[in-house]
Amino acid sequence: MKYINKTQAVLLLKDGTIFYGKSIGISGTTFGEIAFNTGTTGYQEIFTDPSYFGQIMVTTNAHIGNYGVNSNEVESDGVKIAGLVCKNFSFNYSRPDATESLYDYFSKHGLVVISDVDTRALVSYIRDNGAMNGVICTDGTPIDELKDKLAAMPDMKGLELASKVSTKASYYFGSEDASYRISALDLGIKTNILRNLANRDCYIKVFPYDTPFEELKSFNPDGYFLSNGPGDPDPLHGVQEVARQILNDNKPLFGICLGHQIIALANGISTYKMFNGHRGINHPVKNLITGKGEITSQNHGFAVVREELDQHPDFELTHVHLNDGTVAGMRMKSKNCFSVQYHPEASPGPHDSSYLFDQFIANIKASKN
């Protein structure tokens, strides 16, 4: 194991607060909203999750990189986070089936990383002051110059990012001989969502985020799916209109995270930017229909306004986040539609909520009959 000499690096927050650390050896500057994830494993899945596009990720787990990376454990076609802040970055790894080190993986993608940061102090600061924009600098750019660039960076509220991560062309996933056909709108879809649907005898056609309803319908689907994704759902007016048209068609509709928010907006229920958001694999949710608790994987910075949902005559609150009472799931009374504000496809993470895919298939079966 050779000695690695790390150079100085800084993390500058929008309010002027500076955290100091070390560069892992990839020079540059990167901007994004500071977000933290409390998961103790699964860093590769986090880094490749399209929902994190535009965000600088702070990992609360003390060691990152210690088990390398594996090409089978990605959620998209590459790294989607804007940058990484961690405590201890491991250049060496010990997992036998790892294909390469995390450093080599980041080097290929040019990801700027700052390590040796007091992440406990940083996360505590963000929890007290809210998510905000920041910049990682590992190339010695003067602080005043960084401040000027950071001041010009747009806030996440009002920022449309689904177009940055959505597929540019439609593609298929699963067996063409499967029993059910699903039209999935890609707002930043995770690969493990597609695996879960394919494992339940579904053949999925994945469409770009701006696909019109008639094209989704032309696949002759048995059901529709609105995926997770990054950014503010409010600017996605075209997607909201497509959701309304899907609901008018009244075939089964399932939405996750950003897709969940789109369904709310399509029905006149507002969303809002959260103070910090929910990001981790240990979030407690209560299923109000069954009375059971679930430990869930979550990754979102926006949420549905609960008061408006409660007052809407055609919606029912089905799941609630037990830490703060926010909306975690809902369903429509007059339409074949339900959605959740978390990730039932969690990989890695708890599998408590995988039944939601079964519920979607059950809705499809009932609709076909």
Side-chain angles (χ1 to χ4, degrees):
M1 185 182 300
K2 68 177 182 179
Y3 177 77
I4 298 171
N5 184 30
K6 299 179 181 177
T7 58
Q8 293 291 330
V10 296
L11 167 66
L12 170 68
L13 304 184
K14 186 177 181 179
D15 66 0
T17 305
I18 300 175
F19 287 83
Y20 294 93
K22 300 290 183 68
S23 167
I24 67 167
I26 302 170
S27 181
T29 60
T30 187
F31 296 79
E33 183 186 61
I34 305 294
F36 60 88
N37 188 293
T38 58
T40 56
T41 187
Y43 56 71
Q44 186 177 353
E45 290 87 343
I46 292 169
F47 302 155
T48 57
D49 181 351
S51 294
Y52 283 123
F53 185 86
Q55 294 182 319
I56 292 174
M57 177 52 54
V58 182
T59 49
T60 61
N61 189 29
H63 299 280
I64 297 298
N66 49 307
Y67 59 82
V69 297
N70 185 299
S71 56
N72 294 320
E73 297 174 359
V74 295
E75 293 291 353
S76 66
D77 58 359
V79 174
K80 292 296 185 290
I81 59 172
L84 173 65
V85 183
C86 63
K87 175 61 178 175
N88 301 312
F89 187 89
S90 178
F91 292 86
N92 302 289
Y93 61 92
S94 57
R95 187 170 58 155
D97 63 348
T99 52
E100 62 183 329
S101 70
L102 185 60
Y103 175 78
D104 290 338
Y105 187 63
F106 280 165
S107 295
K108 292 176 183 176
H109 292 275
L111 189 80
V112 178
V113 179
I114 179 172
S115 68
D116 297 82
V117 174
D118 186 346
T119 49
R120 293 184 68 178
L122 173 57
V123 169
S124 179
Y125 188 86
I126 296 171
R127 285 179 61 87
D128 290 341
N129 295 276
M132 67 183 77
N133 288 337
V135 54
I136 298 172
C137 177
T138 62
D139 62 7
T141 301
I143 295 295
D144 288 342
E145 185 177 334
L146 293 175
K147 287 182 177 179
D148 291 341
K149 291 181 178 179
L150 189 54
M153 180 184 168
D155 289 331
M156 188 63 75
K157 182 174 175 56
L159 200 58
E160 184 279 298
L161 295 177
S163 60
K164 308 295 185 184
V165 296
S166 179
T167 183
K168 303 304 180 187
S170 299
Y171 64 93
Y172 299 92
F173 195 97
S175 170
E176 192 173 356
D177 298 323
S179 300
Y180 313 108
R181 296 163 70 90
I182 307 296
S183 285
L185 200 61
D186 178 12
L187 308 176
I189 200 165
K190 293 173 65 179
T191 302
N192 205 45
I193 289 174
L194 298 175
R195 293 192 196 103
N196 270 274
L197 291 172
N199 289 342
R200 288 166 172 81
D201 204 17
C202 292
Y203 183 47
I204 310 105
K205 187 172 183 180
V206 184
F207 295 87
Y209 84 104
D210 56 354
T211 302
F213 170 69
E214 290 303 323
E215 190 173 340
L216 295 175
K217 188 176 181 180
S218 67
F219 184 55
N220 193 27
D222 299 303
Y224 296 90
F225 179 79
L226 299 180
S227 84
N228 61 294
D232 191 338
D234 195 56
L236 291 167
H237 301 297
V239 181
Q240 294 167 35
E241 176 57 31
V242 168
R244 282 188 283 268
Q245 292 174 305
I246 291 174
L247 290 171
N248 288 335
D249 196 41
N250 204 28
K251 285 189 176 180
L253 172 61
F254 180 23
I256 287 178
C257 287
L258 184 57
H260 159 85
Q261 297 158 13
I262 290 294
I263 291 169
L265 289 166
N267 286 276
I269 301 171
S270 305
T271 58
Y272 65 97
K273 188 178 187 301
M274 303 174 76
F275 190 63
N276 271 311
H278 296 150
R279 298 179 180 89
I281 58 176
N282 61 346
H283 286 259
V285 163
K286 183 176 182 179
N287 183 325
L288 300 179
I289 307 302
T290 66
K292 294 181 178 180
E294 304 170 21
I295 301 302
T296 66
S297 174
Q298 302 204 5
N299 168 21
H300 59 100
F302 291 82
V304 171
V305 177
R306 180 169 177 176
E307 293 76 15
E308 294 184 22
L309 176 66
D310 289 338
Q311 294 169 10
H312 198 292
D314 199 28
F315 273 84
E316 178 183 9
L317 179 69
T318 60
H319 299 74
V320 63
H321 196 294
L322 289 175
N323 286 348
D324 57 13
T326 53
V327 176
M330 62 188 187
R331 67 183 179 185
M332 297 188 72
K333 299 174 183 177
S334 65
K335 301 289 184 180
N336 201 336
C337 169
F338 74 100
S339 60
V340 292
Q341 185 63 84
Y342 52 94
H343 289 264
E345 82 293 340
S347 177
H351 295 167
D352 298 22
S353 303
S354 60
Y355 70 88
L356 291 165
F357 290 103
D358 299 323
Q359 181 179 325
F360 184 39
I361 302 305
N363 287 355
I364 290 174
K365 289 180 179 179
S367 177
K368 287 172 70 73
N369 294 332

